[in-house]
Amino acid sequence: MTDQLLALLAHTTAVLLDFDGPVTPLLPADRNAHLADATRAVLREAGTGLTDSVSATSDHLAVLRFAASNAPATLEAVERTAVQGEVDAARLAVPTPGAAEFLAACHQTRRPVVVVSNNSADSVEAFLQQHHLHDLVQEILGRPYGEPSLMKPHPELVRRALAILDRQPQSCVMIGDSVTDIEVSRAADVHSIGYAKTPERGTELQRAGADAVITDMTALAEAIHTSAAAD
Ligand SMILES: [Mg+2]
């Protein structure tokens, strides 16, 4: 546990929490590729020509973005397919080690948590309900339906979370595993903790400007308790 992490927790009172990664590995590579195929199939059925990068991507959210800008008539159906695939994945997903402990630690120490996810709120909700974690979060903010341009790193979700929490940005910390989580935090003046499963990702998150990088949600749960005890 680093002093830097404890200082960060001492200066913040609320959490903005990314979902896929720090809470659960919702879409491992194979499942994500499968969902990208399903969303692509909607575009193909509608006769939409795909670019090479959209044909090859294993990220269904990239397909969704493409639909929004290149085939708006298909957007609703692509979004529906994306949401269904995420909900199906959420039913199979297990918590990231330490995630439940982290949410419990925040709850016990009265540090409110708002989930800010580029996945659908339905999938976050299904996952949290299934694992009895739902009562530990104040609010779930998912991808704005049919408006993929508002996904992180767009500041919309962070702005909404700050309004719900009624906090200044500087008193909040975002926890996420993507460079975009760090970018949106910096743009919104929110502190950030990168969650990195690999050393490479840790380097990327650090380079993006994360205030701290962790590799273990259990350690973060412990740090929350330590910080509260020092108050
Ligand atoms: Mg993530």
Side-chain angles (χ1 to χ4, degrees):
M1 196 182 304
T2 65
D3 291 347
Q4 189 189 12
L5 186 57
L6 288 175
L8 201 52
L9 295 175
H11 290 113
T12 55
T13 58
V15 172
L16 278 58
L17 182 61
D18 176 38
F19 176 60
D20 188 358
V23 179
T24 177
L26 179 69
L27 287 163
D30 56 335
R31 220 176 283 160
N32 210 345
H34 183 74
L35 184 49
D37 282 341
T39 50
R40 249 188 312 263
V42 177
L43 287 167
R44 289 213 171 96
E45 273 163 34
T48 307
L50 305 181
T51 60
D52 288 349
S53 74
V54 169
S55 297
T57 186
S58 57
D59 177 9
H60 69 298
L61 297 178
V63 181
L64 185 65
R65 276 199 196 91
F66 174 86
S69 33
N70 297 279
T74 68
L75 178 58
E76 221 278 322
V78 175
E79 178 75 86
R80 218 179 320 122
T81 302
V83 171
Q84 189 57 55
E86 291 170 355
V87 170
D88 291 345
R91 297 215 168 98
L92 298 171
V94 295
T96 296
E101 290 81 354
F102 167 74
L103 288 172
C106 289
H107 190 70
Q108 283 163 22
T109 60
R110 298 197 167 80
R111 194 181 283 263
V113 175
V114 171
V115 175
V116 285
S117 175
N118 281 353
N119 297 120
S120 62
D122 285 356
S123 65
V124 179
E125 176 108 31
F127 176 85
L128 294 177
Q129 292 282 9
Q130 181 153 334
H131 296 278
H132 310 290
L133 300 170
H134 193 264
D135 293 346
L136 304 181
V137 309
Q138 181 169 339
E139 187 89 33
I140 297 165
L141 298 177
R143 171 177 77 244
Y145 193 88
E147 294 185 280
S149 63
L150 298 183
M151 292 193 294
K152 299 173 287 182
H154 191 287
E156 175 68 12
L157 291 176
V158 170
R159 243 188 253 141
R160 282 195 213 169
L162 293 174
I164 288 163
L165 290 162
D166 194 21
R167 295 284 203 290
Q168 292 299 311
Q170 302 87 345
S171 62
C172 296
V173 62
M174 160 86 91
I175 297 153
D177 68 337
S178 294
V179 164
T180 48
D181 294 316
I182 308 305
E183 287 172 349
V184 71
S185 303
R186 294 194 66 188
D189 232 2
V190 168
H191 294 282
S192 59
I193 297 174
Y195 168 64
K197 275 193 304 186
T198 64
E200 293 73 28
R201 181 57 65 91
T203 305
E204 285 170 18
L205 296 173
Q206 214 130 37
R207 281 206 188 118
D211 295 308
V213 172
I214 56 163
T215 56
D216 182 359
M217 290 299 286
T218 307
L220 186 58
E222 282 166 17
I224 295 278
H225 283 301
T226 304
S227 175
D231 258 358

